[in-house]
Amino acid sequence: MRKSIQIIAFSLCFIILMLSCGCDINSGSNKIISMDVDTKPKNIDPQLAVSDSELIIARNTLTGLFRISEDGKAEKSLCESVKVSDDRLTYYFKIKDAKWSDDRQITADDFVFGITRALSPITKSPYASSLFYIKNAEKFHNNEVGLTELGISATDSTTVKITLEKKIADIEYKLADLSAMPCNREFFTECKGKYGLSEVDMLYCGPFYVSSWSEKSIKLNRNNDYAGGEVKPASVTMTFGGTSDERIEDISKGVIDVAVIDAGKEGLAKETGLKTSSVRSTVWAIIINPNAPIAGTELGSSALIKSLNRTEIERSLTTGYSIFSGVIAPDLFVSGEKYGSHIKEYTQQVADVEKAKSEYMQALKEGSGSMSGASLLYVDHEKMGNIAIKIAANWQSNLDAYVNTESVSLEEMKTRIKNGDYTVALYPIGYGDYDAENVLKQFMTDNSDNIFGVSDPKFDSLMISAINAVSAADKANALHKAEQQLINGGYISPIVLSPTVIAKTPTMTGCIFDLNRGNFDFVNTGK
């Protein structure tokens, strides 16, 4: 990268939810790759990035000790070598001789500072819990211990020491997450609270750097000083806000190369001659406010769930969506392996309208208040709106419970659930995450990320067993028992499984889609 150029800005759950957009990694170098994404970037601090554009920028302009390769393996990036203690609880990572985009030397302290920033409660990083494998990390995040007791330090300028809470099998994968990205302490201080908020308040150490940024597009140019290996594309350009139909048309005309499209449009994309691939990544489930009148009672919640005719709901689903009975989507990962490769059978939730009606009437008789005027929240999405309407129609016809439907943004839904300002919600479980364990940990009683008000000692005990399991098979089976307890306890009722679908040009190669680690990794992409 030319150091005289003024840098313009930086930056979405298992171990990797990834789709390969091709396999010939030796063709199509030095190309300009283009795509359309849903949102414009706002805050591109990797420890805070949440939107699709922010995650993509972070993934492609930063790198950590490890990156995830095209074949799904964790490979060294800024890590030169690793030494492990005999008890496999302490790791020493030697870092490569590498520099930030302004010529500052990358040091071990950059990784220590980046990770401690992510864990600090002041930062309010949504990824803090993904670092709780580090000794005392959760206690540090909860202000129970100080920095000196946190299990990460720099033994010298080139060595990062990490001590674990317990042995884990996938630390290299975890250190490829955005939460583990480095941050230069001195530069962060110089930004005076603006880190990641503007084009001049960011440093890059990844395969690309931001060369231009406007309201209409953002361009990433190849970083020729990248220490992590070869970078194939010359640049990546992102535009914002196209519909699925527009994206399919633009890809077919060569205007853009790749984009996420609605699952119901995959057939159209294929008919147009595009390549597609998908990941079964999100479960849409009914969440019931445990403190809501009637609905939050044991009888009321049971009635709402038993009254749902899933066969009837299934008839309203479009292509790509399917009825599902688990909390964890099958393509999320557990210790590096897909959850669905271990768990294939679920207890089916069968409607019992007669019993549901009886329970609901008893709940009305025993409780105070009613569900009159209550709303079913759903994320502002056409497909979810149709499903929400069908669910509300079930409650009306089977229980005489007149529930409205209300469209909100995902951010507003999370806020209202956290504040208890809702009765029922159709919530996306697993959206924005890749790790099956993390998906369920958010329901644990003492988890600060538990916005659902779930407090179930049996579930907590099952989760502790899952967290302590080492092998993928043991962890998956333990998680399955925990998810069944969530369902049996009436806290959650899975309804629909939806995939993330990628459409791309037939000639694109080497593009990785990774649901959590920044969506798209373009380092090996050609066309």
Side-chain angles (χ1 to χ4, degrees), residues 244-262:
S244 291
D245 286 338
E246 290 170 340
R247 289 172 177 174
I248 291 171
E249 182 178 1
D250 284 347
I251 295 172
S252 65
K253 291 181 177 180
V255 177
I256 61 175
D257 299 299
V258 61
V260 175
I261 61 171
D262 182 83

PDB file of all heavy atoms in Angstrom, residues 244-262:
ATOM      1  N   SER A 244     -33.718  -8.024  -3.922  1.00  0.00           N
ATOM      2  CA  SER A 244     -33.262  -9.307  -4.470  1.00  0.00           C
ATOM      3  C   SER A 244     -33.410  -9.340  -5.980  1.00  0.00           C
ATOM      4  O   SER A 244     -32.515  -9.805  -6.698  1.00  0.00           O
ATOM      5  CB  SER A 244     -34.053 -10.456  -3.831  1.00  0.00           C
ATOM      6  OG  SER A 244     -33.715 -10.614  -2.474  1.00  0.00           O
ATOM      7  N   ASP A 245     -34.535  -8.830  -6.493  1.00  0.00           N
ATOM      8  CA  ASP A 245     -34.745  -8.815  -7.945  1.00  0.00           C
ATOM      9  C   ASP A 245     -33.700  -7.949  -8.632  1.00  0.00           C
ATOM     10  O   ASP A 245     -33.164  -8.317  -9.691  1.00  0.00           O
ATOM     11  CB  ASP A 245     -36.152  -8.298  -8.267  1.00  0.00           C
ATOM     12  CG  ASP A 245     -37.234  -9.312  -7.958  1.00  0.00           C
ATOM     13  OD1 ASP A 245     -36.923 -10.522  -7.890  1.00  0.00           O
ATOM     14  OD2 ASP A 245     -38.391  -8.903  -7.752  1.00  0.00           O
ATOM     15  N   GLU A 246     -33.409  -6.795  -8.045  1.00  0.00           N
ATOM     16  CA  GLU A 246     -32.408  -5.904  -8.633  1.00  0.00           C
ATOM     17  C   GLU A 246     -31.028  -6.543  -8.609  1.00  0.00           C
ATOM     18  O   GLU A 246     -30.254  -6.428  -9.571  1.00  0.00           O
ATOM     19  CB  GLU A 246     -32.390  -4.579  -7.869  1.00  0.00           C
ATOM     20  CG  GLU A 246     -33.625  -3.717  -8.091  1.00  0.00           C
ATOM     21  CD  GLU A 246     -33.703  -2.534  -7.156  1.00  0.00           C
ATOM     22  OE1 GLU A 246     -33.038  -2.562  -6.088  1.00  0.00           O
ATOM     23  OE2 GLU A 246     -34.450  -1.586  -7.463  1.00  0.00           O
ATOM     24  N   ARG A 247     -30.712  -7.230  -7.525  1.00  0.00           N
ATOM     25  CA  ARG A 247     -29.406  -7.866  -7.424  1.00  0.00           C
ATOM     26  C   ARG A 247     -29.243  -8.980  -8.432  1.00  0.00           C
ATOM     27  O   ARG A 247     -28.190  -9.135  -9.048  1.00  0.00           O
ATOM     28  CB  ARG A 247     -29.203  -8.393  -5.990  1.00  0.00           C
ATOM     29  CG  ARG A 247     -28.999  -7.278  -4.988  1.00  0.00           C
ATOM     30  CD  ARG A 247     -28.985  -7.779  -3.553  1.00  0.00           C
ATOM     31  NE  ARG A 247     -28.724  -6.674  -2.630  1.00  0.00           N
ATOM     32  CZ  ARG A 247     -28.758  -6.773  -1.304  1.00  0.00           C
ATOM     33  NH1 ARG A 247     -29.065  -7.932  -0.741  1.00  0.00           N
ATOM     34  NH2 ARG A 247     -28.505  -5.727  -0.537  1.00  0.00           N
ATOM     35  N   ILE A 248     -30.283  -9.767  -8.609  1.00  0.00           N
ATOM     36  CA  ILE A 248     -30.224 -10.851  -9.603  1.00  0.00           C
ATOM     37  C   ILE A 248     -30.012 -10.279 -10.997  1.00  0.00           C
ATOM     38  O   ILE A 248     -29.190 -10.774 -11.785  1.00  0.00           O
ATOM     39  CB  ILE A 248     -31.511 -11.702  -9.538  1.00  0.00           C
ATOM     40  CG1 ILE A 248     -31.546 -12.501  -8.223  1.00  0.00           C
ATOM     41  CG2 ILE A 248     -31.606 -12.644 -10.746  1.00  0.00           C
ATOM     42  CD1 ILE A 248     -32.865 -13.188  -7.964  1.00  0.00           C
ATOM     43  N   GLU A 249     -30.750  -9.212 -11.314  1.00  0.00           N
ATOM     44  CA  GLU A 249     -30.601  -8.580 -12.631  1.00  0.00           C
ATOM     45  C   GLU A 249     -29.204  -7.996 -12.802  1.00  0.00           C
ATOM     46  O   GLU A 249     -28.568  -8.151 -13.853  1.00  0.00           O
ATOM     47  CB  GLU A 249     -31.650  -7.477 -12.805  1.00  0.00           C
ATOM     48  CG  GLU A 249     -31.587  -6.794 -14.168  1.00  0.00           C
ATOM     49  CD  GLU A 249     -32.667  -5.738 -14.344  1.00  0.00           C
ATOM     50  OE1 GLU A 249     -33.443  -5.525 -13.401  1.00  0.00           O
ATOM     51  OE2 GLU A 249     -32.721  -5.134 -15.439  1.00  0.00           O
ATOM     52  N   ASP A 250     -28.703  -7.322 -11.765  1.00  0.00           N
ATOM     53  CA  ASP A 250     -27.384  -6.688 -11.853  1.00  0.00           C
ATOM     54  C   ASP A 250     -26.267  -7.736 -11.983  1.00  0.00           C
ATOM     55  O   ASP A 250     -25.285  -7.508 -12.706  1.00  0.00           O
ATOM     56  CB  ASP A 250     -27.127  -5.817 -10.624  1.00  0.00           C
ATOM     57  CG  ASP A 250     -27.899  -4.507 -10.667  1.00  0.00           C
ATOM     58  OD1 ASP A 250     -28.425  -4.170 -11.739  1.00  0.00           O
ATOM     59  OD2 ASP A 250     -27.985  -3.832  -9.623  1.00  0.00           O
ATOM     60  N   ILE A 251     -26.406  -8.863 -11.298  1.00  0.00           N
ATOM     61  CA  ILE A 251     -25.387  -9.915 -11.427  1.00  0.00           C
ATOM     62  C   ILE A 251     -25.421 -10.497 -12.834  1.00  0.00           C
ATOM     63  O   ILE A 251     -24.377 -10.727 -13.461  1.00  0.00           O
ATOM     64  CB  ILE A 251     -25.601 -11.023 -10.374  1.00  0.00           C
ATOM     65  CG1 ILE A 251     -25.403 -10.474  -8.962  1.00  0.00           C
ATOM     66  CG2 ILE A 251     -24.611 -12.184 -10.602  1.00  0.00           C
ATOM     67  CD1 ILE A 251     -25.773 -11.452  -7.860  1.00  0.00           C
ATOM     68  N   SER A 252     -26.621 -10.734 -13.347  1.00  0.00           N
ATOM     69  CA  SER A 252     -26.745 -11.316 -14.686  1.00  0.00           C
ATOM     70  C   SER A 252     -26.198 -10.377 -15.760  1.00  0.00           C
ATOM     71  O   SER A 252     -25.714 -10.827 -16.802  1.00  0.00           O
ATOM     72  CB  SER A 252     -28.212 -11.659 -14.976  1.00  0.00           C
ATOM     73  OG  SER A 252     -29.007 -10.483 -15.028  1.00  0.00           O
ATOM     74  N   LYS A 253     -26.238  -9.059 -15.507  1.00  0.00           N
ATOM     75  CA  LYS A 253     -25.727  -8.071 -16.469  1.00  0.00           C
ATOM     76  C   LYS A 253     -24.263  -7.717 -16.224  1.00  0.00           C
ATOM     77  O   LYS A 253     -23.687  -6.922 -16.968  1.00  0.00           O
ATOM     78  CB  LYS A 253     -26.574  -6.799 -16.406  1.00  0.00           C
ATOM     79  CG  LYS A 253     -28.001  -6.966 -16.938  1.00  0.00           C
ATOM     80  CD  LYS A 253     -28.757  -5.645 -16.855  1.00  0.00           C
ATOM     81  CE  LYS A 253     -30.148  -5.769 -17.456  1.00  0.00           C
ATOM     82  NZ  LYS A 253     -30.898  -4.483 -17.374  1.00  0.00           N
ATOM     83  N   GLY A 254     -23.673  -8.277 -15.172  1.00  0.00           N
ATOM     84  CA  GLY A 254     -22.276  -7.995 -14.883  1.00  0.00           C
ATOM     85  C   GLY A 254     -22.038  -6.694 -14.140  1.00  0.00           C
ATOM     86  O   GLY A 254     -20.902  -6.243 -14.022  1.00  0.00           O
ATOM     87  N   VAL A 255     -23.104  -6.075 -13.619  1.00  0.00           N
ATOM     88  CA  VAL A 255     -22.962  -4.833 -12.864  1.00  0.00           C
ATOM     89  C   VAL A 255     -22.320  -5.118 -11.510  1.00  0.00           C
ATOM     90  O   VAL A 255     -21.468  -4.364 -11.034  1.00  0.00           O
ATOM     91  CB  VAL A 255     -24.329  -4.142 -12.677  1.00  0.00           C
ATOM     92  CG1 VAL A 255     -24.190  -2.880 -11.819  1.00  0.00           C
ATOM     93  CG2 VAL A 255     -24.946  -3.813 -14.028  1.00  0.00           C
ATOM     94  N   ILE A 256     -22.755  -6.197 -10.857  1.00  0.00           N
ATOM     95  CA  ILE A 256     -22.131  -6.666  -9.627  1.00  0.00           C
ATOM     96  C   ILE A 256     -21.833  -8.154  -9.790  1.00  0.00           C
ATOM     97  O   ILE A 256     -22.325  -8.798 -10.721  1.00  0.00           O
ATOM     98  CB  ILE A 256     -23.005  -6.426  -8.376  1.00  0.00           C
ATOM     99  CG1 ILE A 256     -24.341  -7.167  -8.498  1.00  0.00           C
ATOM    100  CG2 ILE A 256     -23.215  -4.948  -8.138  1.00  0.00           C
ATOM    101  CD1 ILE A 256     -25.204  -7.087  -7.247  1.00  0.00           C
ATOM    102  N   ASP A 257     -21.040  -8.690  -8.863  1.00  0.00           N
ATOM    103  CA  ASP A 257     -20.615 -10.090  -8.975  1.00  0.00           C
ATOM    104  C   ASP A 257     -21.303 -11.022  -7.992  1.00  0.00           C
ATOM    105  O   ASP A 257     -21.481 -12.206  -8.276  1.00  0.00           O
ATOM    106  CB  ASP A 257     -19.099 -10.196  -8.760  1.00  0.00           C
ATOM    107  CG  ASP A 257     -18.315  -9.412  -9.782  1.00  0.00           C
ATOM    108  OD1 ASP A 257     -18.450  -9.731 -10.980  1.00  0.00           O
ATOM    109  OD2 ASP A 257     -17.583  -8.479  -9.394  1.00  0.00           O
ATOM    110  N   VAL A 258     -21.686 -10.499  -6.817  1.00  0.00           N
ATOM    111  CA  VAL A 258     -22.200 -11.377  -5.772  1.00  0.00           C
ATOM    112  C   VAL A 258     -23.080 -10.583  -4.823  1.00  0.00           C
ATOM    113  O   VAL A 258     -22.885  -9.374  -4.642  1.00  0.00           O
ATOM    114  CB  VAL A 258     -21.033 -12.033  -4.999  1.00  0.00           C
ATOM    115  CG1 VAL A 258     -20.168 -10.987  -4.326  1.00  0.00           C
ATOM    116  CG2 VAL A 258     -21.528 -13.061  -3.993  1.00  0.00           C
ATOM    117  N   ALA A 259     -24.082 -11.239  -4.227  1.00  0.00           N
ATOM    118  CA  ALA A 259     -24.959 -10.591  -3.252  1.00  0.00           C
ATOM    119  C   ALA A 259     -25.783 -11.650  -2.539  1.00  0.00           C
ATOM    120  O   ALA A 259     -25.978 -12.759  -3.040  1.00  0.00           O
ATOM    121  CB  ALA A 259     -25.890  -9.580  -3.938  1.00  0.00           C
ATOM    122  N   VAL A 260     -26.269 -11.278  -1.365  1.00  0.00           N
ATOM    123  CA  VAL A 260     -27.239 -12.105  -0.646  1.00  0.00           C
ATOM    124  C   VAL A 260     -28.616 -11.805  -1.216  1.00  0.00           C
ATOM    125  O   VAL A 260     -28.958 -10.650  -1.439  1.00  0.00           O
ATOM    126  CB  VAL A 260     -27.221 -11.796   0.863  1.00  0.00           C
ATOM    127  CG1 VAL A 260     -28.317 -12.568   1.597  1.00  0.00           C
ATOM    128  CG2 VAL A 260     -25.860 -12.139   1.455  1.00  0.00           C
ATOM    129  N   ILE A 261     -29.412 -12.850  -1.448  1.00  0.00           N
ATOM    130  CA  ILE A 261     -30.773 -12.664  -1.958  1.00  0.00           C
ATOM    131  C   ILE A 261     -31.749 -13.408  -1.059  1.00  0.00           C
ATOM    132  O   ILE A 261     -31.363 -14.280  -0.278  1.00  0.00           O
ATOM    133  CB  ILE A 261     -30.924 -13.160  -3.412  1.00  0.00           C
ATOM    134  CG1 ILE A 261     -30.628 -14.665  -3.515  1.00  0.00           C
ATOM    135  CG2 ILE A 261     -30.035 -12.356  -4.358  1.00  0.00           C
ATOM    136  CD1 ILE A 261     -30.974 -15.268  -4.864  1.00  0.00           C
ATOM    137  N   ASP A 262     -33.023 -13.061  -1.177  1.00  0.00           N
ATOM    138  CA  ASP A 262     -34.054 -13.764  -0.426  1.00  0.00           C
ATOM    139  C   ASP A 262     -34.121 -15.221  -0.874  1.00  0.00           C
ATOM    140  O   ASP A 262     -33.978 -15.526  -2.058  1.00  0.00           O
ATOM    141  CB  ASP A 262     -35.413 -13.087  -0.643  1.00  0.00           C
ATOM    142  CG  ASP A 262     -36.519 -13.743   0.164  1.00  0.00           C
ATOM    143  OD1 ASP A 262     -36.665 -13.427   1.359  1.00  0.00           O
ATOM    144  OD2 ASP A 262     -37.219 -14.597  -0.407  1.00  0.00           O
TER     145      ASP A 262
END
